[in-house]
Amino acid sequence: MHEYMMPMIDTVGTGRKITVLRKTAGLSVADLQNIFGFTTPQAIYKWQRGVALPTIDNLVVLANIFGVSMDEIIVLEASDVSRRTA
């Protein structure tokens, strides 16, 4: 049997990464709001605080805007839950 750690998304770390990438790209929250066509910036603030994650579609757009892969946006942490395989 093999034990391995299940990766989980670190939402706060991912939010920090989105903030850093946004600033590095020279974009404001309002810029992203306009790109996505959101009526308010609340979704972007939630992403940055780690309260919510972007949908896969929005993650694809963010990766394109920032010129990185989706893997470079998402921050993973190892969970305490181990799974056993035969």
Side-chain angles (χ1 to χ4, degrees):
M1 283 193 213
H2 300 283
E3 289 191 29
Y4 61 91
M5 299 297 286
M6 295 294 294
M8 295 182 67
I9 296 174
D10 176 349
T11 56
V12 173
T14 299
R16 286 188 198 122
K17 183 66 88 66
I18 290 170
T19 302
V20 167
L21 290 168
R22 177 185 59 75
K23 290 178 178 180
T24 300
L27 297 170
S28 68
V29 169
D31 292 331
L32 287 183
Q33 176 186 342
N34 291 332
I35 289 167
F36 284 99
F38 297 157
T39 55
T40 69
Q42 295 312 311
I44 297 159
Y45 285 120
K46 286 180 181 181
W47 298 344
Q48 292 187 154
R49 288 194 317 268
V51 174
L53 290 169
T55 64
I56 295 295
D57 290 345
N58 289 342
L59 191 60
V60 169
V61 174
L62 285 172
N64 186 268
I65 291 167
F66 299 147
V68 299
S69 71
M70 291 189 294
D71 286 345
E72 293 176 81
I73 297 173
I74 298 170
V75 176
L76 297 179
E77 63 182 30
S79 113
D80 293 335
V81 177
S82 294
R83 293 192 116 187
R84 294 179 185 264
T85 60

